[in-house]
Coordinates of all heavy atoms in Angstrom, one line a residue:
M1 N 205.2 29.9 52.7 CA 205.6 30.3 54.1 C 204.7 31.4 54.5 O 204.5 32.4 53.8 CB 207.1 30.7 54.0 CG 207.6 31.2 55.3 SD 209.3 31.7 55.2 CE 210.0 30.6 56.4
G2 N 204.2 31.4 55.7 CA 203.4 32.4 56.3 C 204.2 33.7 56.7 O 205.4 33.6 56.8
T3 N 203.5 34.8 57.0 CA 204.2 35.9 57.5 C 204.3 35.9 59.0 O 203.5 35.3 59.7 CB 203.4 37.2 57.0 OG1 202.1 37.1 57.6 CG2 203.4 37.4 55.6
W4 N 205.3 36.6 59.5 CA 205.6 36.6 60.9 C 204.4 37.3 61.6 O 203.9 38.3 61.1 CB 206.8 37.4 61.2 CG 207.1 37.4 62.7 CD1 207.7 36.5 63.5 CD2 206.9 38.6 63.5 NE1 207.8 36.9 64.7 CE2 207.3 38.2 64.8 CE3 206.3 39.8 63.3 CZ2 207.2 39.0 65.9 CZ3 206.2 40.7 64.4 CH2 206.7 40.3 65.7
G5 N 203.9 36.7 62.7 CA 202.8 37.4 63.4 C 201.4 37.1 62.8 O 200.5 37.7 63.3
G6 N 201.3 36.3 61.8 CA 200.0 36.0 61.3 C 199.5 36.9 60.2 O 198.4 36.9 59.8
G7 N 200.3 37.9 59.8 CA 199.9 38.8 58.7 C 199.4 40.1 59.1 O 199.2 40.4 60.3
R8 N 199.1 41.0 58.2 CA 198.8 42.4 58.4 C 197.4 42.5 59.1 O 197.2 43.4 60.0 CB 198.7 43.1 57.1 CG 198.5 44.5 57.2 CD 199.7 45.3 57.6 NE 199.3 46.7 57.7 CZ 199.6 47.4 58.8 NH1 200.1 46.9 59.8 NH2 199.2 48.6 58.8
G9 N 196.5 41.5 58.9 CA 195.2 41.6 59.5 C 195.3 41.5 61.0 O 194.6 42.1 61.8
S10 N 196.2 40.6 61.5 CA 196.3 40.4 62.9 C 196.9 41.7 63.6 O 196.6 42.0 64.7 CB 197.2 39.2 63.3 OG 198.4 39.3 62.7
V11 N 197.8 42.4 62.9 CA 198.4 43.6 63.4 C 197.3 44.7 63.5 O 197.3 45.3 64.5 CB 199.6 44.1 62.5 CG1 200.0 45.5 62.9 CG2 200.7 43.1 62.5
L12 N 196.5 44.8 62.5 CA 195.5 45.8 62.5 C 194.5 45.5 63.7 O 194.0 46.4 64.4 CB 194.7 45.9 61.3 CG 195.5 46.4 60.0 CD1 194.7 46.2 58.7 CD2 196.0 47.8 60.2
S13 N 194.2 44.2 63.9 CA 193.3 43.8 64.9 C 193.9 44.1 66.4 O 193.2 44.6 67.2 CB 193.0 42.3 64.9 OG 192.3 42.0 63.7
F14 N 195.2 43.9 66.5 CA 195.9 44.2 67.7 C 195.9 45.7 68.0 O 195.6 46.1 69.1 CB 197.3 43.6 67.6 CG 198.1 44.0 68.8 CD1 197.9 43.3 70.0 CD2 199.2 44.9 68.8 CE1 198.7 43.6 71.2 CE2 199.9 45.2 69.9 CZ 199.7 44.6 71.1
E15 N 196.2 46.5 67.0 CA 196.2 48.0 67.1 C 194.8 48.4 67.5 O 194.7 49.3 68.4 CB 196.7 48.6 65.8 CG 198.1 48.4 65.5 CD 198.6 48.9 64.1 OE1 197.7 49.0 63.2 OE2 199.7 49.1 63.9
Q16 N 193.7 47.9 66.9 CA 192.4 48.3 67.2 C 192.1 48.0 68.7 O 191.4 48.8 69.3 CB 191.4 47.7 66.2 CG 190.0 48.3 66.4 CD 189.9 49.8 66.1 OE1 190.3 50.2 65.0 NE2 189.5 50.6 67.1
A17 N 192.5 46.8 69.1 CA 192.2 46.5 70.5 C 192.9 47.4 71.4 O 192.3 47.8 72.5 CB 192.7 45.0 70.7
L18 N 194.1 47.9 71.1 CA 194.8 48.8 71.9 C 194.1 50.2 72.0 O 193.9 50.8 73.0 CB 196.2 49.1 71.4 CG 197.2 47.9 71.6 CD1 198.5 48.3 70.8 CD2 197.5 47.7 73.1
I19 N 193.6 50.6 70.8 CA 192.8 51.8 70.7 C 191.5 51.7 71.5 O 191.1 52.7 72.3 CB 192.5 52.2 69.3 CG1 193.8 52.5 68.5 CG2 191.5 53.3 69.1 CD1 193.7 52.5 67.0
D20 N 190.8 50.6 71.4 CA 189.6 50.4 72.1 C 189.7 50.5 73.6 O 188.8 50.8 74.4 CB 188.9 49.1 71.7 CG 188.5 49.1 70.2 OD1 188.3 50.2 69.6 OD2 188.2 48.0 69.7
R21 N 190.9 50.1 74.1 CA 191.1 50.0 75.6 C 191.9 51.2 76.1 O 192.2 51.4 77.2 CB 192.0 48.8 75.9 CG 191.2 47.6 75.8 CD 191.9 46.3 76.4 NE 193.2 46.2 75.9 CZ 193.6 45.3 74.9 NH1 192.7 44.5 74.4 NH2 194.8 45.2 74.5
C22 N 192.2 52.2 75.2 CA 193.0 53.4 75.6 C 192.1 54.4 76.5 O 190.9 54.2 76.6 CB 193.6 54.1 74.4 SG 192.4 55.2 73.5
S23 N 192.8 55.4 77.0 CA 192.1 56.3 77.9 C 191.2 57.3 77.2 O 190.4 58.0 77.9 CB 193.2 57.2 78.6 OG 193.8 58.1 77.6
G24 N 191.2 57.3 75.8 CA 190.3 58.2 75.1 C 191.0 59.4 74.7 O 190.5 60.3 74.0
Q25 N 192.2 59.6 75.1 CA 193.1 60.7 74.7 C 194.3 60.2 73.9 O 195.1 59.5 74.6 CB 193.5 61.6 75.9 CG 192.3 62.2 76.6 CD 192.7 63.0 77.8 OE1 193.9 63.2 78.1 NE2 191.8 63.5 78.5
I26 N 194.4 60.6 72.7 CA 195.5 60.0 71.8 C 196.4 61.2 71.3 O 195.8 62.2 70.9 CB 194.9 59.3 70.7 CG1 194.2 58.0 71.2 CG2 196.0 58.9 69.7 CD1 193.6 57.2 70.1
A27 N 197.7 61.0 71.5 CA 198.6 62.0 70.9 C 199.3 61.4 69.7 O 199.6 60.2 69.7 CB 199.7 62.4 72.0
I28 N 199.4 62.2 68.7 CA 200.1 61.8 67.5 C 201.4 62.7 67.3 O 201.4 63.9 67.4 CB 199.2 62.0 66.2 CG1 198.0 61.1 66.3 CG2 200.0 61.6 64.9 CD1 197.0 61.2 65.2
D29 N 202.5 62.0 67.1 CA 203.8 62.6 67.0 C 204.5 62.1 65.8 O 204.4 60.9 65.5 CB 204.6 62.3 68.3 CG 205.8 63.2 68.5 OD1 205.9 64.2 67.7 OD2 206.7 62.9 69.3
G30 N 205.2 63.0 65.1 CA 206.0 62.6 63.9 C 207.4 62.9 64.1 O 207.8 63.8 64.8
H31 N 208.2 62.1 63.4 CA 209.7 62.3 63.4 C 210.2 62.1 62.0 O 209.8 61.1 61.3 CB 210.3 61.2 64.4 CG 209.8 61.3 65.8 ND1 210.3 62.2 66.7 CD2 208.8 60.6 66.4 CE1 209.6 62.0 67.8 NE2 208.7 61.0 67.7
A32 N 211.2 62.9 61.6 CA 211.9 62.8 60.4 C 213.1 61.9 60.7 O 214.0 62.2 61.6 CB 212.3 64.1 59.9
I33 N 213.3 60.8 60.0 CA 214.4 59.8 60.3 C 215.4 59.9 59.1 O 215.0 59.6 58.0 CB 213.9 58.4 60.4 CG1 212.8 58.3 61.4 CG2 215.0 57.4 60.7 CD1 213.1 58.6 62.8
G34 N 216.6 60.4 59.4 CA 217.6 60.4 58.3 C 217.9 59.0 57.8 O 217.9 58.1 58.5
T35 N 218.1 59.0 56.5 CA 218.3 57.7 55.8 C 219.7 57.5 55.3 O 220.0 56.7 54.4 CB 217.4 57.5 54.6 OG1 217.6 58.6 53.7 CG2 215.9 57.5 55.1
R36 N 220.7 58.1 55.9 CA 222.1 58.0 55.5 C 222.6 56.6 55.5 O 223.4 56.2 54.7 CB 223.0 58.9 56.4 CG 224.4 58.8 56.1 CD 225.2 59.8 56.9 NE 224.5 61.1 56.9 CZ 224.9 62.1 57.7 NH1 225.9 62.0 58.5 NH2 224.2 63.2 57.7
F37 N 222.2 55.8 56.5 CA 222.8 54.5 56.7 C 222.0 53.4 56.2 O 222.3 52.2 56.4 CB 223.1 54.3 58.2 CG 224.1 55.3 58.8 CD1 223.6 56.3 59.6 CD2 225.4 55.2 58.4 CE1 224.5 57.3 60.1 CE2 226.3 56.2 58.8 CZ 225.8 57.2 59.7
W38 N 220.9 53.7 55.5 CA 220.1 52.6 54.9 C 219.4 53.2 53.7 O 219.2 54.3 53.5 CB 219.1 52.0 55.9 CG 218.1 53.0 56.4 CD1 218.2 53.8 57.5 CD2 216.8 53.3 56.0 NE1 217.1 54.5 57.7 CE2 216.2 54.3 56.8 CE3 216.0 52.8 54.9 CZ2 214.9 54.7 56.6 CZ3 214.7 53.3 54.8 CH2 214.2 54.2 55.6
E39 N 219.1 52.3 52.7 CA 218.4 52.7 51.5 C 217.1 52.0 51.5 O 217.0 50.9 52.0 CB 219.2 52.2 50.3 CG 220.5 53.0 50.1 CD 221.3 52.5 48.9 OE1 220.7 51.9 48.0 OE2 222.5 52.7 48.8
G40 N 216.1 52.7 51.1 CA 214.8 52.1 51.0 C 213.9 53.0 50.1 O 214.2 54.1 49.7
D41 N 212.7 52.4 49.9 CA 211.7 53.1 49.0 C 211.1 54.3 49.7 O 210.6 55.2 49.0 CB 210.5 52.1 48.7 CG 211.0 50.9 47.9 OD1 212.1 51.0 47.2 OD2 210.3 49.9 47.8
L42 N 211.3 54.4 51.0 CA 210.7 55.6 51.7 C 211.6 56.8 51.8 O 211.2 57.9 52.1 CB 210.3 55.2 53.2 CG 209.3 54.1 53.2 CD1 209.1 53.7 54.7 CD2 208.0 54.4 52.6
A43 N 212.9 56.7 51.4 CA 213.8 57.8 51.4 C 213.5 58.8 50.4 O 213.3 58.5 49.2 CB 215.2 57.2 51.2
D44 N 213.4 60.1 50.8 CA 213.1 61.2 49.9 C 213.5 62.5 50.6 O 213.7 62.5 51.7 CB 211.6 61.2 49.6 CG 211.2 61.9 48.4 OD1 212.1 62.4 47.7 OD2 210.0 62.0 48.1
K45 N 213.6 63.5 49.7 CA 213.9 64.8 50.3 C 212.7 65.4 50.9 O 211.7 65.8 50.3 CB 214.4 65.7 49.1 CG 215.7 65.3 48.6 CD 216.2 66.3 47.5 CE 217.5 65.9 46.9 NZ 217.9 66.8 45.8
G46 N 212.7 65.5 52.2 CA 211.6 66.0 53.0 C 211.9 67.4 53.5 O 212.9 68.1 53.1
Y47 N 211.0 67.9 54.4 CA 211.1 69.3 54.8 C 212.4 69.5 55.7 O 212.8 70.6 55.9 CB 209.8 69.7 55.6 CG 209.6 69.0 56.9 CD1 210.0 69.6 58.1 CD2 209.0 67.7 56.9 CE1 209.8 68.9 59.3 CE2 208.8 67.1 58.1 CZ 209.2 67.7 59.3 OH 209.0 67.0 60.5
K48 N 212.9 68.5 56.2 CA 214.2 68.6 57.0 C 215.4 68.2 56.2 O 216.5 68.0 56.8 CB 214.1 67.8 58.3 CG 213.2 68.3 59.3 CD 213.4 67.7 60.6 CE 212.6 68.4 61.7 NZ 212.7 67.7 63.0
F49 N 215.4 68.2 54.9 CA 216.5 67.8 54.1 C 217.7 68.7 54.3 O 218.8 68.1 54.5 CB 216.1 67.8 52.6 CG 217.2 67.5 51.7 CD1 217.6 66.1 51.6 CD2 217.9 68.4 50.9 CE1 218.7 65.8 50.7 CE2 219.0 68.1 50.2 CZ 219.4 66.8 50.1
V50 N 217.5 70.0 54.4 CA 218.6 70.9 54.6 C 219.2 70.7 56.0 O 220.4 70.6 56.1 CB 218.2 72.4 54.4 CG1 219.3 73.3 54.8 CG2 217.8 72.6 53.0
K51 N 218.4 70.5 57.0 CA 218.9 70.4 58.4 C 219.6 69.1 58.6 O 220.6 68.9 59.2 CB 217.7 70.5 59.3 CG 218.1 70.4 60.8 CD 217.0 70.7 61.7 CE 217.4 70.6 63.2 NZ 216.4 70.8 64.1
L52 N 219.0 68.0 58.0 CA 219.5 66.6 58.1 C 220.8 66.4 57.2 O 221.7 65.6 57.5 CB 218.5 65.5 57.9 CG 217.3 65.4 58.8 CD1 216.4 64.4 58.4 CD2 217.9 65.0 60.2
G53 N 220.8 67.1 56.1 CA 221.8 66.9 55.1 C 221.7 65.5 54.3 O 222.6 65.0 53.8
E54 N 220.5 65.0 54.4 CA 220.3 63.7 53.8 C 218.8 63.5 53.6 O 217.9 64.3 54.1 CB 220.8 62.6 54.6 CG 220.2 62.5 56.0 CD 220.8 61.5 57.0 OE1 220.9 60.4 56.6 OE2 221.3 62.0 58.1
E55 N 218.4 62.5 52.8 CA 217.0 62.1 52.6 C 216.5 61.6 53.9 O 217.2 61.3 54.8 CB 216.9 61.1 51.4 CG 217.2 61.7 50.1 CD 217.0 60.7 49.0 OE1 217.0 59.5 49.2 OE2 216.7 61.2 47.8
Q56 N 215.2 61.6 54.0 CA 214.5 61.1 55.2 C 213.4 60.2 54.9 O 212.8 60.2 53.8 CB 214.0 62.4 56.0 CG 212.8 63.0 55.4 CD 212.4 64.3 56.0 OE1 213.3 65.2 56.2 NE2 211.2 64.4 56.4
A57 N 212.9 59.6 55.9 CA 211.7 58.8 56.0 C 210.9 59.4 57.2 O 211.6 60.0 58.1 CB 211.8 57.4 56.2
N58 N 209.6 59.4 57.2 CA 208.8 60.0 58.3 C 208.2 58.9 59.1 O 207.6 57.9 58.6 CB 207.8 60.9 57.8 CG 208.4 62.1 57.1 OD1 209.4 62.7 57.6 ND2 207.8 62.6 56.0
L59 N 208.3 59.0 60.4 CA 207.7 58.0 61.3 C 206.6 58.7 62.1 O 206.8 59.8 62.7 CB 208.7 57.5 62.3 CG 208.1 56.6 63.5 CD1 207.4 55.4 63.0 CD2 209.2 56.3 64.5
L60 N 205.3 58.2 62.1 CA 204.2 58.8 62.8 C 203.9 57.7 63.8 O 203.8 56.5 63.6 CB 203.0 59.0 61.9 CG 202.7 60.5 61.7 CD1 203.8 61.2 61.1 CD2 201.5 60.7 60.9
L61 N 203.6 58.2 65.0 CA 203.2 57.3 66.2 C 202.0 57.9 66.9 O 202.0 59.1 67.2 CB 204.3 57.2 67.2 CG 204.1 56.5 68.5 CD1 203.8 55.0 68.2 CD2 205.2 56.6 69.5
A62 N 201.0 57.1 67.0 CA 199.8 57.5 67.9 C 200.0 56.7 69.2 O 200.2 55.5 69.2 CB 198.5 57.1 67.2
H63 N 199.9 57.4 70.3 CA 200.0 56.8 71.6 C 199.0 57.3 72.6 O 198.5 58.4 72.4 CB 201.4 56.9 72.2 CG 201.9 58.3 72.5 ND1 202.4 59.1 71.6 CD2 201.8 59.0 73.6 CE1 202.7 60.3 72.1 NE2 202.3 60.2 73.4
D64 N 198.7 56.6 73.6 CA 197.7 57.0 74.6 C 198.4 58.1 75.4 O 199.5 58.0 76.0 CB 197.5 55.8 75.6 CG 196.3 56.1 76.6 OD1 196.4 57.2 77.2 OD2 195.5 55.2 76.7
A65 N 197.8 59.3 75.4 CA 198.3 60.5 76.0 C 198.4 60.3 77.5 O 199.2 61.1 78.2 CB 197.5 61.7 75.6
Q66 N 197.6 59.5 78.1 CA 197.6 59.3 79.6 C 198.6 58.3 80.1 O 199.2 58.5 81.0 CB 196.2 58.9 80.0 CG 195.1 59.9 79.8 CD 195.2 61.1 80.7 OE1 195.6 61.0 81.9 NE2 195.0 62.3 80.1
T67 N 198.7 57.2 79.3 CA 199.6 56.1 79.8 C 200.9 56.0 79.0 O 201.8 55.4 79.4 CB 198.9 54.8 79.6 OG1 198.7 54.5 78.2 CG2 197.6 54.7 80.4
G68 N 201.0 56.7 77.8 CA 202.2 56.6 77.0 C 202.3 55.3 76.2 O 203.2 55.1 75.4
V69 N 201.2 54.4 76.2 CA 201.3 53.1 75.5 C 201.2 53.4 74.0 O 200.2 54.1 73.6 CB 200.1 52.2 76.0 CG1 200.0 51.0 75.0 CG2 200.3 51.8 77.4
P70 N 202.1 52.9 73.2 CA 202.0 53.1 71.7 C 200.8 52.3 71.2 O 200.5 51.2 71.6 CB 203.2 52.4 71.2 CG 204.1 52.2 72.4 CD 203.3 52.2 73.6
L71 N 200.0 52.9 70.3 CA 198.8 52.3 69.7 C 199.0 51.9 68.2 O 198.7 50.8 67.9 CB 197.7 53.3 69.9 CG 197.4 53.8 71.3 CD1 196.3 54.9 71.3 CD2 197.0 52.6 72.2
V72 N 199.4 52.9 67.4 CA 199.6 52.7 66.0 C 200.9 53.4 65.6 O 201.1 54.6 66.0 CB 198.4 53.2 65.2 CG1 198.6 53.0 63.7 CG2 197.1 52.5 65.7
S73 N 201.7 52.8 64.7 CA 202.8 53.6 64.1 C 202.9 53.1 62.6 O 202.7 52.0 62.3 CB 204.1 53.3 64.9 OG 204.5 51.9 64.7
R74 N 203.4 54.1 61.8 CA 203.6 53.8 60.4 C 204.8 54.7 60.0 O 205.0 55.8 60.4 CB 202.4 54.2 59.6 CG 201.1 53.5 59.9 CD 201.2 52.1 59.4 NE 199.9 51.4 59.6 CZ 199.5 50.9 60.7 NH1 200.2 50.8 61.8 NH2 198.3 50.2 60.8
F75 N 205.6 54.1 59.0 CA 206.5 54.9 58.3 C 206.0 55.4 57.0 O 205.2 54.7 56.3 CB 207.8 54.0 57.9 CG 208.8 53.9 59.0 CD1 208.8 52.8 59.9 CD2 209.7 54.9 59.2 CE1 209.8 52.8 60.9 CE2 210.7 54.9 60.2 CZ 210.7 53.9 61.0
Y76 N 206.4 56.6 56.6 CA 205.9 57.2 55.3 C 207.1 57.8 54.6 O 208.2 58.0 55.1 CB 204.9 58.4 55.7 CG 203.7 57.9 56.3 CD1 203.5 57.8 57.6 CD2 202.6 57.4 55.4 CE1 202.3 57.4 58.2 CE2 201.5 57.0 56.0 CZ 201.3 57.0 57.3 OH 200.1 56.5 57.9
E77 N 206.9 58.0 53.3 CA 207.9 58.6 52.4 C 208.3 60.0 53.0 O 207.5 60.7 53.4 CB 207.5 58.8 51.0 CG 207.3 57.4 50.3 CD 206.8 57.7 48.8 OE1 207.2 58.7 48.2 OE2 206.0 56.8 48.3
G78 N 209.6 60.3 52.9 CA 210.1 61.5 53.5 C 209.5 62.8 52.8 O 209.5 63.8 53.5
G79 N 209.1 62.7 51.6 CA 208.6 63.9 50.9 C 207.1 64.2 51.1 O 206.6 65.2 50.5
V80 N 206.4 63.3 51.8 CA 205.0 63.4 51.9 C 204.7 64.3 53.0 O 205.3 64.3 54.1 CB 204.3 62.0 52.2 CG1 202.8 62.1 52.4 CG2 204.6 61.0 51.0
A81 N 203.7 65.2 52.8 CA 203.3 66.3 53.8 C 202.8 65.6 55.0 O 202.1 64.6 55.0 CB 202.3 67.2 53.2
D82 N 203.0 66.2 56.2 CA 202.6 65.6 57.5 C 201.1 65.4 57.5 O 200.6 64.5 58.0 CB 203.0 66.5 58.7 CG 204.5 66.5 58.9 OD1 205.1 65.5 58.4 OD2 204.9 67.3 59.7
K83 N 200.3 66.4 57.0 CA 198.8 66.3 57.1 C 198.3 65.1 56.3 O 197.3 64.5 56.6 CB 198.2 67.6 56.6 CG 198.3 68.0 55.2 CD 197.7 69.3 54.8 CE 197.8 69.6 53.3 NZ 197.1 70.8 53.0
V84 N 199.0 64.7 55.2 CA 198.7 63.6 54.4 C 198.9 62.3 55.2 O 198.1 61.4 55.3 CB 199.4 63.5 53.1 CG1 199.2 62.2 52.3 CG2 199.0 64.7 52.2
C85 N 200.1 62.3 55.9 CA 200.5 61.1 56.7 C 199.5 61.0 57.9 O 199.1 59.8 58.2 CB 201.9 61.3 57.2 SG 203.1 61.3 55.9
V86 N 199.2 62.0 58.6 CA 198.2 62.0 59.7 C 196.9 61.5 59.2 O 196.3 60.6 59.9 CB 198.1 63.3 60.4 CG1 196.9 63.3 61.4 CG2 199.4 63.7 61.1
G87 N 196.4 62.0 58.1 CA 195.1 61.5 57.6 C 195.1 60.0 57.3 O 194.2 59.2 57.6
D88 N 196.3 59.5 56.7 CA 196.4 58.1 56.4 C 196.4 57.3 57.7 O 195.8 56.2 57.8 CB 197.6 57.8 55.6 CG 197.8 56.3 55.2 OD1 197.0 55.9 54.4 OD2 198.6 55.7 55.9
L89 N 197.2 57.8 58.7 CA 197.3 57.1 60.0 C 196.0 56.9 60.6 O 195.6 55.9 61.1 CB 198.3 57.8 60.9 CG 198.6 57.1 62.2 CD1 199.5 55.9 62.0 CD2 199.1 58.1 63.2
L90 N 195.2 58.0 60.6 CA 193.9 58.0 61.2 C 192.9 57.1 60.5 O 191.9 56.6 61.0 CB 193.3 59.4 61.4 CG 194.0 60.3 62.3 CD1 193.4 61.7 62.3 CD2 193.9 59.7 63.8
G91 N 193.2 56.8 59.2 CA 192.4 55.9 58.4 C 192.7 54.4 58.6 O 192.0 53.6 58.1
Q92 N 193.7 54.2 59.3 CA 194.2 52.8 59.6 C 193.3 52.0 60.6 O 193.4 50.8 60.7 CB 195.6 52.7 60.1 CG 196.6 53.3 59.1 CD 196.7 52.5 57.8 OE1 196.8 51.2 57.9 NE2 196.8 53.1 56.7
A93 N 192.5 52.7 61.4 CA 191.8 52.2 62.5 C 190.6 53.0 62.8 O 190.4 54.1 62.3 CB 192.6 52.0 63.7
D94 N 189.7 52.6 63.7 CA 188.5 53.3 64.1 C 188.9 54.2 65.3 O 189.1 53.7 66.4 CB 187.4 52.4 64.5 CG 186.2 53.1 65.0 OD1 186.1 54.3 64.9 OD2 185.3 52.4 65.5
F95 N 189.1 55.5 65.1 CA 189.5 56.5 66.1 C 188.3 57.4 66.5 O 188.5 58.5 66.8 CB 190.7 57.4 65.5 CG 192.0 56.7 65.5 CD1 192.4 56.1 64.3 CD2 192.8 56.7 66.6 CE1 193.7 55.5 64.3 CE2 194.1 56.1 66.5 CZ 194.5 55.5 65.4
H96 N 187.1 56.9 66.4 CA 185.9 57.7 66.8 C 185.8 57.9 68.3 O 186.2 57.0 69.1 CB 184.7 57.0 66.2 CG 184.7 57.1 64.7 ND1 185.1 56.0 64.0 CD2 184.3 58.0 63.8 CE1 185.0 56.3 62.6 NE2 184.5 57.5 62.6
N97 N 185.2 59.0 68.6 CA 184.9 59.4 70.0 C 186.1 59.5 70.9 O 186.1 59.1 72.0 CB 183.9 58.4 70.6 CG 182.6 58.4 69.8 OD1 182.1 59.5 69.5 ND2 182.0 57.3 69.6
L98 N 187.2 60.0 70.3 CA 188.5 60.1 71.1 C 188.9 61.6 70.9 O 188.7 62.2 69.9 CB 189.6 59.2 70.5 CG 189.2 57.7 70.5 CD1 190.2 57.0 69.6 CD2 189.2 57.2 72.0
L99 N 189.7 62.1 71.9 CA 190.3 63.3 71.8 C 191.7 63.1 71.2 O 192.5 62.3 71.7 CB 190.5 64.0 73.2 CG 191.3 65.3 73.2 CD1 190.7 66.4 72.5 CD2 191.6 65.7 74.7
I100 N 192.0 63.7 70.1 CA 193.3 63.5 69.4 C 194.1 64.8 69.4 O 193.6 65.8 69.0 CB 193.0 63.0 67.9 CG1 192.3 61.7 68.0 CG2 194.4 62.9 67.2 CD1 191.9 61.2 66.6
L101 N 195.3 64.7 70.0 CA 196.2 65.8 70.0 C 197.3 65.6 69.0 O 197.9 64.5 69.0 CB 196.9 65.8 71.4 CG 195.9 65.7 72.6 CD1 196.6 65.4 73.9 CD2 195.1 67.0 72.7
V102 N 197.5 66.5 68.2 CA 198.5 66.4 67.1 C 199.5 67.5 67.3 O 199.3 68.6 67.5 CB 197.9 66.6 65.7 CG1 198.9 66.4 64.6 CG2 196.7 65.6 65.5

């Protein structure tokens, strides 16, 4: 049985096409998502553990700063440092010759 949407390669191609057509200004935003109501491999004690009172997963989203169109998003383990997640996110596609706001 095939994967929904044609597999990971088609997702990466779609994301790259969005990046290639963007305004040239990309904003990256991160969110700590509490994992109280679901269990998963990404749940871990992150920097907001005390505030959330629970383990978290981290969501990073790159979007076009001019239009707000989402370009790339990834979930990461809650205990992984933001700078590591941002570096990984930027390695997922060709983000050259763009202004990136973090």
Side-chain angles (χ1 to χ4, degrees):
M1 175 183 242
T3 59
W4 180 79
R8 185 79 181 123
S10 61
V11 171
L12 295 174
S13 295
F14 177 71
E15 291 171 337
Q16 188 63 56
L18 291 172
I19 293 165
D20 293 343
R21 290 191 305 262
C22 79
S23 70
Q25 297 180 4
I26 295 176
I28 298 177
D29 194 12
H31 303 277
I33 310 294
T35 59
R36 179 178 312 175
F37 299 107
W38 60 277
E39 293 181 20
D41 294 342
L42 300 177
D44 198 1
K45 291 181 180 178
Y47 68 96
K48 286 194 172 179
F49 179 75
V50 173
K51 183 176 182 178
L52 293 174
E54 60 189 305
E55 292 183 334
Q56 70 187 52
N58 295 323
L59 170 64
L60 251 57
L61 171 69
H63 64 274
D64 188 314
Q66 295 291 319
T67 66
V69 171
L71 305 171
V72 179
S73 65
R74 299 288 186 275
F75 273 101
Y76 294 94
E77 290 181 33
V80 177
D82 287 348
K83 67 181 183 178
V84 172
C85 297
V86 169
D88 181 75
L89 184 78
L90 292 175
Q92 298 290 318
D94 181 6
F95 285 96
H96 292 94
N97 299 317
L98 301 168
L99 174 64
I100 298 177
L101 312 164
V102 182

